[in-house]
Amino acid sequence: MPTHRTAHYFLEGLNEIGVEHLFCNLGTDHAPLVEEMARWRKHKLKPPGTFLCPHENVVMHMAAGYTLVTGRGQAVLLHVDAGTANAAMALHNIARARIPLLAMAGRAPYTVRGELEGSRDQNVHFLQEPYDQAGLVRPFVKWEYNLHSGVTTKEVLRRADTMMHSDPMGPVYLMLPREVLAQQWEEKAVASFPESRFGPVRARGTDPQTAGEIAERLLSARYPVLITRYAGRNPEALALLDELARYAAIRVFEASPLHLNIARDSPCYLGMSTAAAVPSADVGLLVDVDVPWIPLDTREDPASFWIHIDVDALKEKTPLWGFPSHLRLQGDSSVVLRQVLEALRQKATPRFLEAARNRMEAIRHESAARTQGLAKLAAVRGEAGEIEVNHLCAEVGRALAPSDIVLNEGIASGPAVLNQIMRTVPGTSFSNPGAALGYSGAAALGAKLARPGALVVNLIGDGSFYQSTPETVFAVSRQYGLPILTVVIDNAGWSAVKNSTLRMYPEGDARASAQFESRLAAGMDFTKVVESAGGFGARVDHPDALPDALRACVAEVRKGRPALLHACVKQI
């Protein structure tokens, strides 16, 4: 009976769970895997494709970006405790976005004197063994485990895949000791565990009675609203939300949207500020949303009735969460809302339909007024050294096709990105998944890998750009032929720090002295970073030069080169 290293069964197991790509930041702990992948290629076997990323921020977020576009969770290889620590910030984002991802890290060899193959043979092996390596990321993962023996390799990988793809989805963490990867096992000893018998648990719909109860609430509603953040993780949600909203005349809002949740040209879509609508609402639908409003600033009507439909209704990774939900359903929002719409059609009366038509007219007027207001903002171009952000984003929007993909990591400028760059096609808009800055450059690479024919645009503030390890982003872009367009919105500082201080201390000493500890280096030229990787850069500080610079950048990306537009906007 043939024998193979555990590493062989590990690669087989990755293939069996559907991992297409292995995003890697490798180290001495991965020697058995490197050797086994070379052997596979020698014998014309096909392991998952590898992408080498010189920094963990990029390796993690690139895998996440691929999954955001495709819905298929991938795998990442990290280097022992050091790589795990570097990846923790990305795991925070991935956990908050409920992205399935298998993060795997080696462990320092546990034998010292050559007792087993893979024993410690370098000084660093004595420095890479903390007491609790998994503790570095435990707050951000659904499951963590150590591969104790090669004989269970495929069972462990199936369990990891099942956990990360079960709703609510999220990342998992697996540790791989070097000696275990080097073990030899007969083929008959290592069993497979098919998805058909050991697969994930998916959220479903609700019972007809509950769907009917929600429909009854909407039938009698005078001012219904719907607030969502990530319903658009299901591509069919966009058309469904629009259909439901038009039929029942519901005002729809996105609260810090991660995904595109409804076509933003829908007459029922009223933007991202819920502050005015929430106090007026008598029936509210919270649909796949984390923070529908800020309670400090916005108060719901105590007499209103709120229905929460969410794949993560409990918010199990959020210790303190308090928003009204008289009826709470954990399930697939697309399935539930389809059931509600069907029940609503069955129960609709002439009186309801007339009220909905009248309400829809009012919503159309509100939507038109909002659109006109955004157009006025976009028309203000700014001046030398101070390009207006709304104008910048509107120009970017005009350069894009409906199927192009936008990654938004503008913090202070984030609302302008979402408001001015019209997106209507599922899977074409993604924004900040969590609170850790620096995700979007690498996520754009993953999106480009998933959709090679799309123009992928990353809009990012200068503060986030620093944290995105941009030199690594563009190195990977060059190595693997993944051209993206990066637009750096440079206000020379951290607006969030300044604005937060002003909110807490509006008449304080920081305001009086204009000392907010938020100014970063002025006069930077970020184009040099992309140029170092053979890309094209354009630095623009006047609105007159913006259209030509943007066209040049887009043209270079379409030729296969990464491009960066450094836009100097009004400084903080």
Side-chain angles (χ1 to χ4, degrees), residues 32-55:
L33 289 173
V34 172
E35 175 66 16
E36 191 61 28
M37 285 190 284
R39 189 185 74 82
W40 271 42
R41 294 184 182 109
K42 175 182 176 181
H43 292 284
K44 309 301 182 185
L45 301 174
K46 189 177 180 182
T50 55
F51 289 86
L52 308 182
C53 301
H55 196 282

Side-chain angles (χ1 to χ4, degrees), residues 167-252:
D167 288 323
M169 298 185 192
V172 297
Y173 181 72
L174 175 62
M175 292 170 288
L176 307 169
R178 195 163 79 156
E179 293 93 333
V180 173
L181 290 174
Q183 290 172 353
Q184 295 280 340
W185 293 94
E186 291 186 351
E187 289 182 352
K188 67 179 182 181
V190 183
S192 294
F193 290 79
E195 181 178 355
S196 60
R197 294 178 59 199
F198 302 94
V201 177
R202 304 293 178 135
R204 302 190 180 191
T206 188
D207 59 274
Q209 181 179 349
T210 302
E213 181 181 350
I214 298 171
E216 290 286 353
R217 291 285 178 178
L218 291 174
L219 285 172
S220 60
R222 292 175 290 98
Y223 197 106
V225 301
L226 187 153
I227 307 171
T228 184
R229 180 178 190 241
Y230 53 91
R233 76 190 192 286
N234 294 326
E236 62 271 20
L238 275 75
L240 175 59
L241 260 63
D242 187 52
E243 185 181 1
L244 174 63
R246 289 177 189 247
Y247 187 75
I250 302 172
R251 291 167 171 85
V252 178

Side-chain angles (χ1 to χ4, degrees), residues 148-172:
H148 300 288
S149 169
V151 76
T152 60
T153 299
K154 293 186 179 182
E155 183 173 14
V156 169
L157 286 174
R158 175 58 66 191
R159 178 62 174 168
D161 182 75
T162 294
M163 289 295 291
M164 73 186 198
H165 282 110
S166 291
D167 288 323
M169 298 185 192
V172 297

Side-chain angles (χ1 to χ4, degrees), residues 411-413 435 437 462-464 467 491-506 510-511 514-520 572:
I411 306 305
S413 56
L437 300 183
D462 57 313
S464 297
Q467 298 201 48
N491 64 3
W494 294 320
S495 291
V497 175
K498 177 180 178 181
N499 294 338
S500 177
T501 304
L502 286 171
R503 282 196 301 272
M504 286 192 69
Y505 306 105
R511 181 190 182 105
Q515 295 180 13
F516 295 102
E517 305 299 335
S518 58
R519 290 297 300 272
L520 300 176
I572 63 170

Side-chain angles (χ1 to χ4, degrees), residues 483 554-561:
V554 170
E556 291 299 322
V557 173
R558 297 201 187 281
K559 292 177 187 176
R561 296 174 71 193

